[in-house]
């Protein structure tokens, strides 16, 4: 039993912590397995599950599997579309991944959705750099 296995996975943060350790140890597939378990855990709230999908998107992007990354980002955004959340640079990564995967329609949809959120967080304006690239 490795040291990583000693940590119980009860809270969402425990899953993220374990996945980060796996990733730091260059065990990205183990990190993905851990986060896939997290997003399936019905005890977690919508924001946690959406965050888990974003982390999965990031992991898949690092593996250059833009199809799976795009899917994960899409699921995370879909889950949180009715939630009020603040700007994160991960949103830029999501739009970039949609573009890399040639999911232009999806990129446009989410770009428009996210740019409308400037009404409560001006930082969403940072995504405007994509407007000319994908339209």
């Amino acid at each position: 039993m490795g040291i990583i296995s000693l940590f119980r996975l009860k809270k969402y943060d425990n899953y993220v912590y374990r996945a980060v350790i796996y990733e730091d140890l260059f065990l990205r597939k183990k990190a993905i397995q851990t986060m896939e378990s997290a997003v399936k855990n019905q005890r977690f709230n919508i924001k946690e599950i959406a965050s888990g999908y974003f982390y999965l998107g990031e992991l898949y992007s690092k593996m250059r599997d833009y199809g799976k990354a795009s899917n994960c980002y899409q699921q995370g955004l879909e889950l949180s579309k009715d939630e009020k959340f603040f700007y994160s640079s991960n949103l830029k990564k999501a739009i970039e991944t949609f573009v890399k995967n040639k999911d232009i329609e999806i990129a446009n949809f989410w770009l428009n959705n996210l740019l409308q959120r400037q009404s409560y967080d001006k930082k969403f304006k940072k995504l405007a750099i994509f407007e000319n690239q994908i339209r």
Side-chain angles (χ1 to χ4, degrees):
M1 178 181 280
I3 186 122
I4 296 172
S5 301
L6 295 176
F7 297 104
R8 295 215 181 258
L9 299 177
K10 290 185 178 180
K11 297 179 181 178
Y12 173 74
D13 291 341
N14 299 137
Y15 282 84
V16 173
Y17 181 74
R18 182 177 287 181
V20 167
I21 290 173
Y22 280 137
E23 188 178 7
D24 288 347
L25 295 172
F26 303 101
L27 300 170
R28 200 166 280 145
K29 288 182 181 178
K30 286 274 212 192
I32 287 171
Q33 289 172 348
T34 301
M35 291 312 298
E36 284 177 344
S37 294
V39 298
K40 293 175 186 167
N41 192 323
Q42 296 179 355
R43 291 182 302 178
F44 301 142
N45 66 46
I46 289 173
K47 285 186 178 183
E48 289 171 327
I49 294 170
S51 173
Y53 277 117
F54 260 76
Y55 188 21
L56 279 167
E58 187 177 332
L59 290 168
Y60 281 121
S61 286
K62 288 178 180 178
M63 295 176 71
R64 292 186 173 89
D65 189 338
Y66 300 116
K68 286 183 180 176
S70 182
N71 255 356
C72 290
Y73 284 131
Q74 171 78 359
Q75 287 178 295
L77 285 165
E78 193 64 43
L79 279 172
S80 55
K81 72 179 178 190
D82 296 326
E83 301 285 327
K84 186 176 181 178
F85 58 87
F86 293 96
Y87 177 81
S88 162
S89 60
N90 289 330
L91 297 167
K92 183 179 176 199
K93 292 176 187 176
I95 300 295
E96 288 171 341
T97 301
F98 295 145
V99 171
K100 284 179 185 175
N101 199 48
K102 298 181 178 38
D103 293 330
I104 303 306
E105 193 173 311
I106 292 170
N108 267 318
F109 175 83
W110 287 113
L111 179 61
N112 289 330
N113 179 288
L114 295 169
L115 286 173
Q116 290 174 12
R117 295 170 186 264
Q118 292 176 69
S119 64
Y120 64 85
D121 183 354
K122 299 290 181 212
K123 291 181 184 176
F124 280 98
K125 180 74 174 159
K126 293 178 181 183
L127 298 174
I129 62 168
F130 292 107
E131 286 182 306
N132 293 329
Q133 293 177 12
I134 58 177
R135 293 192 176 160

PDB file of all heavy atoms in Angstrom, residues 66-78:
ATOM      1  N   TYR A  66      -7.324  16.315 -27.220  1.00  0.00           N
ATOM      2  CA  TYR A  66      -8.207  17.462 -27.218  1.00  0.00           C
ATOM      3  C   TYR A  66      -9.681  17.085 -27.349  1.00  0.00           C
ATOM      4  O   TYR A  66     -10.542  17.832 -26.910  1.00  0.00           O
ATOM      5  CB  TYR A  66      -7.791  18.458 -28.299  1.00  0.00           C
ATOM      6  CG  TYR A  66      -6.383  18.956 -28.079  1.00  0.00           C
ATOM      7  CD1 TYR A  66      -5.368  18.688 -28.988  1.00  0.00           C
ATOM      8  CD2 TYR A  66      -6.052  19.677 -26.932  1.00  0.00           C
ATOM      9  CE1 TYR A  66      -4.072  19.126 -28.773  1.00  0.00           C
ATOM     10  CE2 TYR A  66      -4.758  20.115 -26.699  1.00  0.00           C
ATOM     11  CZ  TYR A  66      -3.777  19.836 -27.631  1.00  0.00           C
ATOM     12  OH  TYR A  66      -2.494  20.264 -27.388  1.00  0.00           O
ATOM     13  N   GLY A  67      -9.967  15.928 -27.905  1.00  0.00           N
ATOM     14  CA  GLY A  67     -11.348  15.469 -27.986  1.00  0.00           C
ATOM     15  C   GLY A  67     -11.921  15.218 -26.602  1.00  0.00           C
ATOM     16  O   GLY A  67     -13.000  15.706 -26.256  1.00  0.00           O
ATOM     17  N   LYS A  68     -11.193  14.465 -25.789  1.00  0.00           N
ATOM     18  CA  LYS A  68     -11.650  14.189 -24.420  1.00  0.00           C
ATOM     19  C   LYS A  68     -11.613  15.457 -23.576  1.00  0.00           C
ATOM     20  O   LYS A  68     -12.506  15.685 -22.758  1.00  0.00           O
ATOM     21  CB  LYS A  68     -10.802  13.091 -23.777  1.00  0.00           C
ATOM     22  CG  LYS A  68     -11.111  11.711 -24.321  1.00  0.00           C
ATOM     23  CD  LYS A  68     -10.313  10.640 -23.618  1.00  0.00           C
ATOM     24  CE  LYS A  68     -10.638   9.265 -24.193  1.00  0.00           C
ATOM     25  NZ  LYS A  68      -9.822   8.209 -23.595  1.00  0.00           N
ATOM     26  N   ALA A  69     -10.595  16.267 -23.785  1.00  0.00           N
ATOM     27  CA  ALA A  69     -10.497  17.523 -23.031  1.00  0.00           C
ATOM     28  C   ALA A  69     -11.692  18.416 -23.345  1.00  0.00           C
ATOM     29  O   ALA A  69     -12.320  18.971 -22.430  1.00  0.00           O
ATOM     30  CB  ALA A  69      -9.192  18.241 -23.376  1.00  0.00           C
ATOM     31  N   SER A  70     -12.020  18.531 -24.610  1.00  0.00           N
ATOM     32  CA  SER A  70     -13.155  19.350 -25.033  1.00  0.00           C
ATOM     33  C   SER A  70     -14.446  18.844 -24.397  1.00  0.00           C
ATOM     34  O   SER A  70     -15.258  19.628 -23.895  1.00  0.00           O
ATOM     35  CB  SER A  70     -13.259  19.334 -26.556  1.00  0.00           C
ATOM     36  OG  SER A  70     -14.311  20.147 -27.004  1.00  0.00           O
ATOM     37  N   ASN A  71     -14.627  17.533 -24.399  1.00  0.00           N
ATOM     38  CA  ASN A  71     -15.805  16.913 -23.774  1.00  0.00           C
ATOM     39  C   ASN A  71     -15.897  17.276 -22.297  1.00  0.00           C
ATOM     40  O   ASN A  71     -16.973  17.608 -21.794  1.00  0.00           O
ATOM     41  CB  ASN A  71     -15.713  15.390 -23.888  1.00  0.00           C
ATOM     42  CG  ASN A  71     -16.638  14.836 -24.918  1.00  0.00           C
ATOM     43  OD1 ASN A  71     -17.409  15.557 -25.518  1.00  0.00           O
ATOM     44  ND2 ASN A  71     -16.555  13.542 -25.111  1.00  0.00           N
ATOM     45  N   CYS A  72     -14.788  17.172 -21.595  1.00  0.00           N
ATOM     46  CA  CYS A  72     -14.773  17.456 -20.157  1.00  0.00           C
ATOM     47  C   CYS A  72     -15.080  18.925 -19.885  1.00  0.00           C
ATOM     48  O   CYS A  72     -15.894  19.244 -19.005  1.00  0.00           O
ATOM     49  CB  CYS A  72     -13.433  17.062 -19.548  1.00  0.00           C
ATOM     50  SG  CYS A  72     -13.182  15.274 -19.484  1.00  0.00           S
ATOM     51  N   TYR A  73     -14.437  19.817 -20.641  1.00  0.00           N
ATOM     52  CA  TYR A  73     -14.719  21.240 -20.457  1.00  0.00           C
ATOM     53  C   TYR A  73     -16.190  21.531 -20.740  1.00  0.00           C
ATOM     54  O   TYR A  73     -16.831  22.290 -20.021  1.00  0.00           O
ATOM     55  CB  TYR A  73     -13.835  22.093 -21.365  1.00  0.00           C
ATOM     56  CG  TYR A  73     -12.403  22.227 -20.901  1.00  0.00           C
ATOM     57  CD1 TYR A  73     -11.352  22.003 -21.779  1.00  0.00           C
ATOM     58  CD2 TYR A  73     -12.087  22.601 -19.600  1.00  0.00           C
ATOM     59  CE1 TYR A  73     -10.024  22.147 -21.371  1.00  0.00           C
ATOM     60  CE2 TYR A  73     -10.772  22.745 -19.183  1.00  0.00           C
ATOM     61  CZ  TYR A  73      -9.745  22.515 -20.075  1.00  0.00           C
ATOM     62  OH  TYR A  73      -8.444  22.662 -19.663  1.00  0.00           O
ATOM     63  N   GLN A  74     -16.725  20.913 -21.783  1.00  0.00           N
ATOM     64  CA  GLN A  74     -18.130  21.101 -22.143  1.00  0.00           C
ATOM     65  C   GLN A  74     -19.042  20.652 -20.992  1.00  0.00           C
ATOM     66  O   GLN A  74     -19.980  21.352 -20.629  1.00  0.00           O
ATOM     67  CB  GLN A  74     -18.446  20.321 -23.424  1.00  0.00           C
ATOM     68  CG  GLN A  74     -19.893  20.244 -23.806  1.00  0.00           C
ATOM     69  CD  GLN A  74     -20.436  21.497 -24.453  1.00  0.00           C
ATOM     70  OE1 GLN A  74     -19.743  22.475 -24.629  1.00  0.00           O
ATOM     71  NE2 GLN A  74     -21.691  21.461 -24.802  1.00  0.00           N
ATOM     72  N   GLN A  75     -18.754  19.496 -20.419  1.00  0.00           N
ATOM     73  CA  GLN A  75     -19.564  18.995 -19.307  1.00  0.00           C
ATOM     74  C   GLN A  75     -19.484  19.914 -18.096  1.00  0.00           C
ATOM     75  O   GLN A  75     -20.496  20.177 -17.439  1.00  0.00           O
ATOM     76  CB  GLN A  75     -19.140  17.571 -18.930  1.00  0.00           C
ATOM     77  CG  GLN A  75     -19.585  16.539 -19.954  1.00  0.00           C
ATOM     78  CD  GLN A  75     -19.110  15.150 -19.585  1.00  0.00           C
ATOM     79  OE1 GLN A  75     -17.916  14.872 -19.557  1.00  0.00           O
ATOM     80  NE2 GLN A  75     -20.052  14.271 -19.293  1.00  0.00           N
ATOM     81  N   GLY A  76     -18.292  20.397 -17.801  1.00  0.00           N
ATOM     82  CA  GLY A  76     -18.127  21.304 -16.678  1.00  0.00           C
ATOM     83  C   GLY A  76     -18.888  22.606 -16.869  1.00  0.00           C
ATOM     84  O   GLY A  76     -19.554  23.094 -15.956  1.00  0.00           O
ATOM     85  N   LEU A  77     -18.812  23.156 -18.067  1.00  0.00           N
ATOM     86  CA  LEU A  77     -19.532  24.394 -18.354  1.00  0.00           C
ATOM     87  C   LEU A  77     -21.038  24.172 -18.345  1.00  0.00           C
ATOM     88  O   LEU A  77     -21.794  25.004 -17.836  1.00  0.00           O
ATOM     89  CB  LEU A  77     -19.086  24.964 -19.702  1.00  0.00           C
ATOM     90  CG  LEU A  77     -17.705  25.622 -19.693  1.00  0.00           C
ATOM     91  CD1 LEU A  77     -17.196  25.825 -21.108  1.00  0.00           C
ATOM     92  CD2 LEU A  77     -17.754  26.936 -18.935  1.00  0.00           C
ATOM     93  N   GLU A  78     -21.474  23.054 -18.905  1.00  0.00           N
ATOM     94  CA  GLU A  78     -22.907  22.744 -18.943  1.00  0.00           C
ATOM     95  C   GLU A  78     -23.477  22.638 -17.526  1.00  0.00           C
ATOM     96  O   GLU A  78     -24.558  23.150 -17.242  1.00  0.00           O
ATOM     97  CB  GLU A  78     -23.120  21.439 -19.715  1.00  0.00           C
ATOM     98  CG  GLU A  78     -24.550  21.166 -20.090  1.00  0.00           C
ATOM     99  CD  GLU A  78     -25.139  22.181 -21.052  1.00  0.00           C
ATOM    100  OE1 GLU A  78     -24.460  22.581 -22.011  1.00  0.00           O
ATOM    101  OE2 GLU A  78     -26.308  22.567 -20.840  1.00  0.00           O
TER     102      GLU A  78
END
